[in-house]
Amino acid sequence: SSDLTQDPAVSVALGQTVRITCQGDSLRSYYASWYQQKPGQAPILVIYGENNRPSGIPDRFSGSRSGNTVALTITGAQAEDEADYYCNSRDSSGDHVVFGGGTKLTVL
Amino acid sequence: QVQLQESGPRLVKPSETLSLTCTVSGVSINSNSYYWGWIRQPPGKGLEWIGNIFYRGSTYYNPSLKSRVTISVDTSKSQFSLKLSSVTAADTAVYYCARLNNGYGSYPFDIWGQGTMVTVSS
């Protein structure tokens, strides 16, 4: 089980906007990060902090937070965005890292 | 550029100890800005945090693995290591080492190694 809950699968039509969510009590206190993982590859960081993108991440990726829920939004999804997406943060103690179970994004 | 590379045996027998090393290049491991972590991913499943270490030696472990995990650091070699004892088939996974950036608010893992598949089998 995970302290962070994600929908297992989400789909989006090419060029449309999709929102992937992550819920957990610790998110009321700590920021989350988002990772993209394609088959056979290591995860890459796409969003961190309040809404920050590492260098090289397209600006169609954005993050938000409300209460105990954080969201990753892809505005104008592209075929290459099809991947698994994981959120992570700290647990309620603040000492440990937790990951969400992951969301498989399909771009139709 | 910053690179992390995992190394170690790909096959471990049940009840034995899994040992992996992560070599860090392109950045000093002796930095107050980073922790160094291990994450694993069983085949077809999600990511599981194993633990983190600071260059001065302080460690944080996943409570579910704490009794079997030891993470250590060798700053002279710019390496940190993972030992997981009493392994079973459930420990079969891709093991990643990663840099945790503690200057970024959400403490993200901003650099990852390529991962190494470790199989537990007799």
Side-chain angles (χ1 to χ4, degrees):
Chain A
S1 66
S2 170
D3 291 346
L4 300 179
T5 301
Q6 297 183 240
D7 290 329
V10 172
S11 62
V12 61
L14 184 67
Q16 296 303 300
T17 296
V18 62
R19 189 167 175 264
I20 299 170
T21 61
C22 172
Q23 287 187 301
D25 287 341
S26 66
L27 299 178
R28 297 184 186 277
S29 304
Y30 302 110
Y31 287 117
S33 304
W34 287 95
Y35 306 85
Q36 177 193 71
Q37 185 181 35
K38 296 182 179 179
Q41 298 182 18
I44 63 168
L45 178 67
V46 295
I47 292 289
Y48 65 91
E50 188 160 5
N51 180 17
N52 301 290
R53 283 175 290 106
S55 174
I57 301 301
D59 61 5
R60 64 179 179 271
F61 290 88
S62 63
S64 60
R65 181 172 79 165
S66 178
N68 73 336
T69 301
V70 295
L72 172 70
T73 299
I74 306 174
T75 303
Q78 302 299 302
E80 60 263 33
D81 299 334
E82 187 163 288
D84 294 327
Y85 290 86
Y86 294 90
C87 61
N88 99 302
S89 185
R90 288 187 276 175
D91 70 358
S92 298
S93 76
D95 291 333
H96 304 124
V97 173
V98 288
F99 282 94
T103 296
K104 182 176 182 59
L105 175 67
T106 300
V107 179
L108 304 172
Chain B
Q1 73 276 27
V2 180
Q3 289 187 317
L4 282 69
Q5 179 67 58
E6 304 90 350
S7 60
R10 304 294 182 93
L11 181 64
V12 183
K13 290 182 169 54
S15 79
E16 296 190 344
T17 296
L18 179 158
S19 296
L20 295 173
T21 296
C22 183
T23 301
V24 179
S25 60
V27 67
S28 174
I29 202 170
N30 300 334
S31 171
N32 288 329
S33 297
Y34 312 121
Y35 284 75
W36 306 94
W38 289 97
I39 301 102
R40 71 180 182 178
Q41 185 172 36
K45 296 188 178 181
L47 301 170
E48 180 181 32
W49 174 68
I50 299 172
N52 298 334
I53 190 165
F54 193 54
Y55 78 94
R56 291 176 179 165
S58 53
T59 53
Y60 302 86
Y61 297 138
N62 186 325
S64 69
L65 298 170
K66 185 175 182 178
S67 63
R68 299 194 292 129
V69 172
T70 302
I71 297 176
S72 58
V73 63
D74 185 336
T75 56
S76 68
K77 295 182 179 179
S78 198
Q79 294 177 334
F80 62 105
S81 298
L82 168 71
K83 290 188 185 301
L84 180 65
S85 65
S86 304
V87 298
T88 69
D91 296 309
T92 293
V94 176
Y95 285 76
Y96 296 100
C97 60
R99 184 179 82 174
L100 187 151
N101 195 318
N102 69 5
Y104 279 2
S106 59
Y107 292 71
F109 290 106
D110 64 348
I111 306 290
W112 294 64
Q114 66 184 22
T116 187
M117 178 69 196
V118 179
T119 301
V120 178
S121 175
S122 55

